Short mmCIF file of all heavy atoms in Angstrom, two decimals:
data_model
loop_
_atom_site.label_atom_id
_atom_site.label_comp_id
_atom_site.label_asym_id
_atom_site.label_seq_id
_atom_site.Cartn_x
_atom_site.Cartn_y
_atom_site.Cartn_z
N GLU A 1 3.16 8.83 -3.79
CA GLU A 1 2.88 10.26 -3.72
C GLU A 1 2.40 10.73 -2.35
O GLU A 1 1.87 11.84 -2.21
CB GLU A 1 1.84 10.63 -4.78
CG GLU A 1 2.32 10.39 -6.21
CD GLU A 1 1.28 10.77 -7.24
OE1 GLU A 1 0.14 11.09 -6.82
OE2 GLU A 1 1.60 10.76 -8.44
N SER A 2 2.52 9.90 -1.33
CA SER A 2 2.11 10.30 0.01
C SER A 2 2.88 9.47 1.02
O SER A 2 3.46 8.43 0.68
CB SER A 2 0.60 10.10 0.20
OG SER A 2 0.27 8.73 0.09
N ARG A 3 2.88 9.93 2.27
CA ARG A 3 3.54 9.17 3.32
C ARG A 3 2.63 8.09 3.87
O ARG A 3 3.09 7.03 4.29
CB ARG A 3 3.99 10.10 4.45
CG ARG A 3 4.92 9.43 5.47
CD ARG A 3 5.27 10.36 6.60
NE ARG A 3 4.16 10.58 7.50
CZ ARG A 3 3.79 9.73 8.46
NH1 ARG A 3 4.43 8.59 8.64
NH2 ARG A 3 2.78 10.02 9.25
N LEU A 4 1.31 8.36 3.89
CA LEU A 4 0.32 7.43 4.42
C LEU A 4 -0.55 6.88 3.29
O LEU A 4 -0.75 7.56 2.28
CB LEU A 4 -0.58 8.13 5.44
CG LEU A 4 0.09 8.68 6.70
CD1 LEU A 4 -0.95 9.42 7.54
CD2 LEU A 4 0.75 7.56 7.50
N PRO A 5 -1.09 5.67 3.45
CA PRO A 5 -2.06 5.18 2.46
C PRO A 5 -3.26 6.12 2.38
O PRO A 5 -3.67 6.72 3.37
CB PRO A 5 -2.47 3.82 3.03
CG PRO A 5 -1.38 3.44 3.96
CD PRO A 5 -0.85 4.70 4.53
N GLN A 6 -3.80 6.23 1.18
CA GLN A 6 -4.97 7.09 0.97
C GLN A 6 -6.22 6.22 0.97
O GLN A 6 -6.44 5.42 0.06
CB GLN A 6 -4.83 7.83 -0.35
CG GLN A 6 -3.61 8.73 -0.40
CD GLN A 6 -3.42 9.38 -1.75
OE1 GLN A 6 -4.37 9.94 -2.31
NE2 GLN A 6 -2.21 9.32 -2.28
N TYR A 7 -7.03 6.34 2.03
CA TYR A 7 -8.24 5.55 2.19
C TYR A 7 -9.44 6.31 1.60
O TYR A 7 -9.49 7.54 1.68
CB TYR A 7 -8.51 5.26 3.66
CG TYR A 7 -7.41 4.52 4.37
CD1 TYR A 7 -6.45 5.21 5.13
CD2 TYR A 7 -7.30 3.13 4.28
CE1 TYR A 7 -5.43 4.54 5.79
CE2 TYR A 7 -6.27 2.45 4.94
CZ TYR A 7 -5.35 3.16 5.69
OH TYR A 7 -4.34 2.50 6.32
N PRO A 8 -10.42 5.60 1.06
CA PRO A 8 -11.63 6.27 0.62
C PRO A 8 -12.39 6.85 1.82
O PRO A 8 -12.23 6.38 2.95
CB PRO A 8 -12.44 5.17 -0.07
CG PRO A 8 -11.88 3.89 0.45
CD PRO A 8 -10.45 4.15 0.78
N ALA A 9 -13.20 7.84 1.57
CA ALA A 9 -13.88 8.55 2.66
C ALA A 9 -14.79 7.64 3.47
O ALA A 9 -14.98 7.86 4.68
CB ALA A 9 -14.67 9.73 2.10
N ASP A 10 -15.37 6.62 2.84
CA ASP A 10 -16.29 5.73 3.56
C ASP A 10 -15.62 4.45 4.03
O ASP A 10 -16.29 3.49 4.39
CB ASP A 10 -17.50 5.40 2.68
CG ASP A 10 -17.10 4.67 1.39
OD1 ASP A 10 -15.88 4.60 1.10
OD2 ASP A 10 -18.00 4.18 0.68
N TYR A 11 -14.29 4.43 4.07
CA TYR A 11 -13.56 3.24 4.49
C TYR A 11 -13.81 2.94 5.96
O TYR A 11 -13.87 3.84 6.80
CB TYR A 11 -12.06 3.45 4.27
CG TYR A 11 -11.20 2.30 4.73
CD1 TYR A 11 -11.00 1.18 3.93
CD2 TYR A 11 -10.59 2.32 5.99
CE1 TYR A 11 -10.21 0.14 4.35
CE2 TYR A 11 -9.79 1.28 6.42
CZ TYR A 11 -9.59 0.18 5.60
OH TYR A 11 -8.82 -0.86 6.02
N ASN A 12 -13.95 1.66 6.29
CA ASN A 12 -14.15 1.23 7.68
C ASN A 12 -13.37 -0.05 7.90
O ASN A 12 -13.73 -1.11 7.39
CB ASN A 12 -15.64 1.00 7.96
CG ASN A 12 -15.89 0.54 9.39
OD1 ASN A 12 -14.97 0.46 10.20
ND2 ASN A 12 -17.14 0.22 9.69
N TYR A 13 -12.30 0.03 8.67
CA TYR A 13 -11.44 -1.13 8.91
C TYR A 13 -12.19 -2.30 9.52
O TYR A 13 -11.89 -3.46 9.25
CB TYR A 13 -10.27 -0.71 9.81
CG TYR A 13 -9.30 -1.82 10.12
CD1 TYR A 13 -8.29 -2.15 9.22
CD2 TYR A 13 -9.38 -2.55 11.32
CE1 TYR A 13 -7.39 -3.18 9.51
CE2 TYR A 13 -8.50 -3.56 11.61
CZ TYR A 13 -7.50 -3.88 10.69
OH TYR A 13 -6.62 -4.90 10.97
N LEU A 14 -13.20 -2.02 10.36
CA LEU A 14 -13.93 -3.09 11.02
C LEU A 14 -14.90 -3.82 10.09
O LEU A 14 -15.40 -4.89 10.44
CB LEU A 14 -14.70 -2.54 12.23
CG LEU A 14 -13.83 -2.07 13.41
CD1 LEU A 14 -14.72 -1.55 14.52
CD2 LEU A 14 -12.95 -3.20 13.92
N ASP A 15 -15.16 -3.25 8.95
CA ASP A 15 -15.99 -3.91 7.95
C ASP A 15 -15.04 -4.62 6.99
O ASP A 15 -14.37 -3.99 6.18
CB ASP A 15 -16.84 -2.88 7.21
CG ASP A 15 -17.75 -3.51 6.16
OD1 ASP A 15 -17.54 -4.69 5.80
OD2 ASP A 15 -18.67 -2.81 5.70
N GLU A 16 -14.97 -5.95 7.08
CA GLU A 16 -13.95 -6.66 6.31
C GLU A 16 -14.18 -6.61 4.81
O GLU A 16 -13.23 -6.73 4.04
CB GLU A 16 -13.82 -8.10 6.81
CG GLU A 16 -13.21 -8.18 8.19
CD GLU A 16 -12.59 -9.54 8.52
OE1 GLU A 16 -12.82 -10.51 7.76
OE2 GLU A 16 -11.87 -9.62 9.52
N GLN A 17 -15.42 -6.44 4.36
CA GLN A 17 -15.64 -6.21 2.93
C GLN A 17 -14.91 -4.94 2.51
O GLN A 17 -14.21 -4.92 1.49
CB GLN A 17 -17.14 -6.08 2.64
CG GLN A 17 -17.48 -5.49 1.27
CD GLN A 17 -17.52 -6.50 0.14
OE1 GLN A 17 -17.79 -7.67 0.36
NE2 GLN A 17 -17.28 -6.03 -1.07
N SER A 18 -15.04 -3.91 3.29
CA SER A 18 -14.35 -2.65 2.99
C SER A 18 -12.84 -2.82 3.08
O SER A 18 -12.09 -2.39 2.20
CB SER A 18 -14.82 -1.57 3.98
OG SER A 18 -14.14 -0.35 3.80
N ARG A 19 -12.38 -3.49 4.15
CA ARG A 19 -10.94 -3.62 4.39
C ARG A 19 -10.25 -4.38 3.25
O ARG A 19 -9.25 -3.94 2.70
CB ARG A 19 -10.69 -4.33 5.71
CG ARG A 19 -9.23 -4.38 6.09
CD ARG A 19 -8.90 -5.42 7.16
NE ARG A 19 -9.84 -5.48 8.26
CZ ARG A 19 -9.72 -6.34 9.28
NH1 ARG A 19 -8.72 -7.20 9.32
NH2 ARG A 19 -10.62 -6.35 10.25
N PHE A 20 -10.79 -5.55 2.91
CA PHE A 20 -10.10 -6.40 1.95
C PHE A 20 -10.36 -6.00 0.50
O PHE A 20 -9.53 -6.27 -0.38
CB PHE A 20 -10.47 -7.87 2.18
CG PHE A 20 -9.83 -8.43 3.41
CD1 PHE A 20 -10.52 -8.50 4.61
CD2 PHE A 20 -8.52 -8.88 3.39
CE1 PHE A 20 -9.93 -9.00 5.75
CE2 PHE A 20 -7.92 -9.39 4.52
CZ PHE A 20 -8.62 -9.45 5.72
N ALA A 21 -11.48 -5.37 0.21
CA ALA A 21 -11.68 -4.84 -1.13
C ALA A 21 -10.74 -3.67 -1.38
O ALA A 21 -10.17 -3.54 -2.47
CB ALA A 21 -13.13 -4.42 -1.33
N TRP A 22 -10.57 -2.81 -0.36
CA TRP A 22 -9.72 -1.64 -0.56
C TRP A 22 -8.25 -1.99 -0.65
O TRP A 22 -7.50 -1.40 -1.44
CB TRP A 22 -9.92 -0.63 0.58
CG TRP A 22 -8.91 0.48 0.46
CD1 TRP A 22 -9.00 1.59 -0.31
CD2 TRP A 22 -7.62 0.52 1.07
NE1 TRP A 22 -7.85 2.34 -0.22
CE2 TRP A 22 -6.97 1.69 0.62
CE3 TRP A 22 -6.93 -0.33 1.94
CZ2 TRP A 22 -5.69 2.04 1.03
CZ3 TRP A 22 -5.64 0.00 2.34
CH2 TRP A 22 -5.05 1.18 1.89
N VAL A 23 -7.78 -2.96 0.14
CA VAL A 23 -6.33 -3.17 0.23
C VAL A 23 -5.73 -3.51 -1.12
O VAL A 23 -4.57 -3.17 -1.40
CB VAL A 23 -6.00 -4.25 1.30
CG1 VAL A 23 -6.29 -5.66 0.78
CG2 VAL A 23 -4.55 -4.14 1.77
N ALA A 24 -6.51 -4.15 -2.01
CA ALA A 24 -5.99 -4.44 -3.34
C ALA A 24 -5.73 -3.16 -4.12
O ALA A 24 -4.83 -3.10 -4.96
CB ALA A 24 -6.95 -5.34 -4.10
N ARG A 25 -6.53 -2.12 -3.84
CA ARG A 25 -6.34 -0.84 -4.54
C ARG A 25 -5.07 -0.13 -4.08
O ARG A 25 -4.64 0.86 -4.70
CB ARG A 25 -7.55 0.06 -4.32
CG ARG A 25 -8.72 -0.18 -5.27
CD ARG A 25 -9.54 -1.40 -4.97
NE ARG A 25 -10.74 -1.49 -5.84
CZ ARG A 25 -11.65 -2.43 -5.75
NH1 ARG A 25 -11.54 -3.40 -4.84
NH2 ARG A 25 -12.69 -2.43 -6.58
N LEU A 26 -4.45 -0.62 -3.01
CA LEU A 26 -3.19 -0.04 -2.57
C LEU A 26 -2.12 -0.17 -3.64
O LEU A 26 -1.18 0.64 -3.70
CB LEU A 26 -2.74 -0.74 -1.28
CG LEU A 26 -1.51 -0.20 -0.55
CD1 LEU A 26 -1.74 1.24 -0.12
CD2 LEU A 26 -1.19 -1.07 0.66
N ALA A 27 -2.25 -1.17 -4.51
CA ALA A 27 -1.28 -1.33 -5.60
C ALA A 27 -1.21 -0.11 -6.50
O ALA A 27 -0.18 0.16 -7.12
CB ALA A 27 -1.62 -2.58 -6.42
N ASP A 28 -2.32 0.64 -6.58
CA ASP A 28 -2.35 1.83 -7.43
C ASP A 28 -1.57 2.99 -6.82
O ASP A 28 -1.32 3.99 -7.50
CB ASP A 28 -3.80 2.27 -7.67
CG ASP A 28 -4.62 1.20 -8.37
OD1 ASP A 28 -4.03 0.41 -9.14
OD2 ASP A 28 -5.85 1.16 -8.15
N GLN A 29 -1.21 2.87 -5.53
CA GLN A 29 -0.56 3.99 -4.83
C GLN A 29 0.95 3.84 -4.75
O GLN A 29 1.63 4.65 -4.12
CB GLN A 29 -1.14 4.15 -3.43
CG GLN A 29 -2.64 4.42 -3.42
CD GLN A 29 -3.18 4.63 -2.01
OE1 GLN A 29 -2.49 5.21 -1.15
NE2 GLN A 29 -4.40 4.19 -1.76
N VAL A 30 1.48 2.76 -5.33
CA VAL A 30 2.93 2.54 -5.27
C VAL A 30 3.51 2.65 -6.67
O VAL A 30 2.80 2.54 -7.68
CB VAL A 30 3.26 1.17 -4.65
CG1 VAL A 30 2.64 1.04 -3.27
CG2 VAL A 30 2.80 0.02 -5.55
N GLY A 31 4.82 2.85 -6.73
CA GLY A 31 5.50 2.94 -8.00
C GLY A 31 5.58 1.60 -8.72
O GLY A 31 5.09 0.58 -8.23
N GLU A 32 6.21 1.61 -9.85
CA GLU A 32 6.31 0.41 -10.66
C GLU A 32 7.52 -0.42 -10.29
O GLU A 32 8.57 0.12 -9.91
CB GLU A 32 6.37 0.79 -12.14
CG GLU A 32 5.07 1.33 -12.69
CD GLU A 32 3.92 0.33 -12.57
OE1 GLU A 32 4.11 -0.84 -12.91
OE2 GLU A 32 2.83 0.73 -12.09
N PRO A 33 7.41 -1.74 -10.40
CA PRO A 33 8.58 -2.60 -10.20
C PRO A 33 9.73 -2.15 -11.10
O PRO A 33 9.52 -1.76 -12.26
CB PRO A 33 8.06 -3.98 -10.60
CG PRO A 33 6.59 -3.92 -10.35
CD PRO A 33 6.18 -2.52 -10.69
N GLY A 34 10.94 -2.20 -10.55
CA GLY A 34 12.11 -1.76 -11.30
C GLY A 34 12.48 -0.32 -11.07
O GLY A 34 13.57 0.12 -11.48
N SER A 35 11.61 0.45 -10.40
CA SER A 35 11.93 1.85 -10.10
C SER A 35 13.03 1.90 -9.04
O SER A 35 13.33 0.92 -8.36
CB SER A 35 10.69 2.59 -9.62
OG SER A 35 10.25 2.06 -8.37
N ASP A 36 13.62 3.07 -8.90
CA ASP A 36 14.68 3.24 -7.89
C ASP A 36 14.16 2.90 -6.50
O ASP A 36 14.88 2.29 -5.69
CB ASP A 36 15.20 4.68 -7.91
CG ASP A 36 16.01 4.99 -9.17
OD1 ASP A 36 16.42 4.04 -9.86
OD2 ASP A 36 16.21 6.20 -9.44
N GLU A 37 12.90 3.32 -6.21
CA GLU A 37 12.34 3.06 -4.88
C GLU A 37 12.20 1.56 -4.62
O GLU A 37 12.51 1.08 -3.52
CB GLU A 37 10.98 3.75 -4.74
CG GLU A 37 11.04 5.27 -4.71
CD GLU A 37 11.23 5.90 -6.08
OE1 GLU A 37 11.13 5.17 -7.10
OE2 GLU A 37 11.49 7.12 -6.13
N TRP A 38 11.72 0.83 -5.63
CA TRP A 38 11.59 -0.63 -5.49
C TRP A 38 12.96 -1.26 -5.27
O TRP A 38 13.13 -2.11 -4.39
CB TRP A 38 10.92 -1.23 -6.73
CG TRP A 38 9.44 -1.16 -6.71
CD1 TRP A 38 8.69 -0.04 -6.82
CD2 TRP A 38 8.54 -2.26 -6.59
NE1 TRP A 38 7.35 -0.37 -6.77
CE2 TRP A 38 7.23 -1.72 -6.63
CE3 TRP A 38 8.70 -3.63 -6.46
CZ2 TRP A 38 6.09 -2.51 -6.54
CZ3 TRP A 38 7.57 -4.43 -6.37
CH2 TRP A 38 6.28 -3.88 -6.40
N ASN A 39 13.92 -0.89 -6.09
CA ASN A 39 15.25 -1.49 -5.98
C ASN A 39 15.89 -1.21 -4.63
O ASN A 39 16.50 -2.10 -4.01
CB ASN A 39 16.15 -0.97 -7.10
CG ASN A 39 15.72 -1.48 -8.47
OD1 ASN A 39 15.13 -2.56 -8.59
ND2 ASN A 39 16.03 -0.72 -9.51
N GLU A 40 15.75 0.02 -4.15
CA GLU A 40 16.32 0.37 -2.84
C GLU A 40 15.65 -0.42 -1.72
O GLU A 40 16.32 -0.87 -0.78
CB GLU A 40 16.17 1.87 -2.59
CG GLU A 40 17.06 2.72 -3.48
CD GLU A 40 16.71 4.20 -3.40
OE1 GLU A 40 15.85 4.56 -2.55
OE2 GLU A 40 17.30 4.99 -4.17
N TYR A 41 14.34 -0.58 -1.81
CA TYR A 41 13.62 -1.30 -0.77
C TYR A 41 14.02 -2.78 -0.76
O TYR A 41 14.28 -3.35 0.32
CB TYR A 41 12.11 -1.17 -0.98
CG TYR A 41 11.28 -1.93 0.04
CD1 TYR A 41 11.32 -1.58 1.38
CD2 TYR A 41 10.46 -3.00 -0.35
CE1 TYR A 41 10.57 -2.27 2.32
CE2 TYR A 41 9.71 -3.69 0.58
CZ TYR A 41 9.77 -3.33 1.92
OH TYR A 41 9.03 -4.02 2.84
N ILE A 42 14.09 -3.40 -1.92
CA ILE A 42 14.46 -4.82 -1.98
C ILE A 42 15.89 -5.01 -1.48
O ILE A 42 16.17 -5.93 -0.69
CB ILE A 42 14.30 -5.35 -3.42
CG1 ILE A 42 12.81 -5.40 -3.79
CG2 ILE A 42 14.93 -6.73 -3.56
CD1 ILE A 42 12.55 -5.65 -5.25
N ASP A 43 16.80 -4.13 -1.88
CA ASP A 43 18.18 -4.23 -1.38
C ASP A 43 18.22 -4.07 0.13
O ASP A 43 18.99 -4.77 0.82
CB ASP A 43 19.04 -3.15 -2.04
CG ASP A 43 19.33 -3.44 -3.50
OD1 ASP A 43 19.15 -4.60 -3.94
OD2 ASP A 43 19.72 -2.49 -4.23
N PHE A 44 17.41 -3.17 0.67
CA PHE A 44 17.35 -2.97 2.11
C PHE A 44 16.92 -4.25 2.83
O PHE A 44 17.52 -4.64 3.84
CB PHE A 44 16.38 -1.83 2.42
CG PHE A 44 16.02 -1.69 3.87
CD1 PHE A 44 16.87 -1.06 4.76
CD2 PHE A 44 14.81 -2.20 4.36
CE1 PHE A 44 16.54 -0.93 6.11
CE2 PHE A 44 14.47 -2.08 5.69
CZ PHE A 44 15.34 -1.44 6.57
N LEU A 45 15.88 -4.92 2.32
CA LEU A 45 15.42 -6.16 2.94
C LEU A 45 16.52 -7.22 2.93
O LEU A 45 16.75 -7.92 3.93
CB LEU A 45 14.19 -6.70 2.21
CG LEU A 45 12.91 -5.85 2.27
CD1 LEU A 45 11.82 -6.50 1.43
CD2 LEU A 45 12.44 -5.65 3.71
N ILE A 46 17.23 -7.33 1.82
CA ILE A 46 18.27 -8.35 1.71
C ILE A 46 19.45 -8.03 2.60
O ILE A 46 20.00 -8.91 3.29
CB ILE A 46 18.69 -8.50 0.23
CG1 ILE A 46 17.53 -9.10 -0.58
CG2 ILE A 46 19.94 -9.38 0.10
CD1 ILE A 46 17.72 -9.07 -2.07
N GLU A 47 19.84 -6.77 2.65
CA GLU A 47 20.96 -6.37 3.51
C GLU A 47 20.69 -6.67 4.98
O GLU A 47 21.62 -6.89 5.75
CB GLU A 47 21.24 -4.88 3.33
CG GLU A 47 21.87 -4.53 1.98
CD GLU A 47 21.79 -3.04 1.68
OE1 GLU A 47 21.32 -2.27 2.56
OE2 GLU A 47 22.17 -2.65 0.56
#
């Protein structure tokens, strides 16, 4: 639903607790496996 990842307001890349705890939440910002976007992306990598 966005072009850029959506970071929490208190996110700090230099704080690795913040960086690595947040990056797992990135999964909530992408579509589901099997969607058209997933299929197109995987085909693109293989091509």
Side-chain angles (χ1 to χ4, degrees):
E1 297 181 353
S2 63
R3 191 183 72 80
L4 298 176
Q6 299 176 48
Y7 301 97
D10 61 350
Y11 178 83
N12 179 4
Y13 180 82
L14 292 179
D15 181 345
E16 290 201 349
Q17 165 86 27
S18 176
R19 186 197 317 179
F20 287 97
W22 172 84
V23 76
R25 276 76 174 183
L26 187 60
D28 299 331
Q29 300 182 36
V30 303
E32 289 301 313
S35 65
D36 290 344
E37 291 78 10
W38 276 69
N39 290 333
E40 290 170 6
Y41 178 64
I42 291 169
D43 288 343
F44 169 80
L45 295 177
I46 293 170
E47 289 165 4

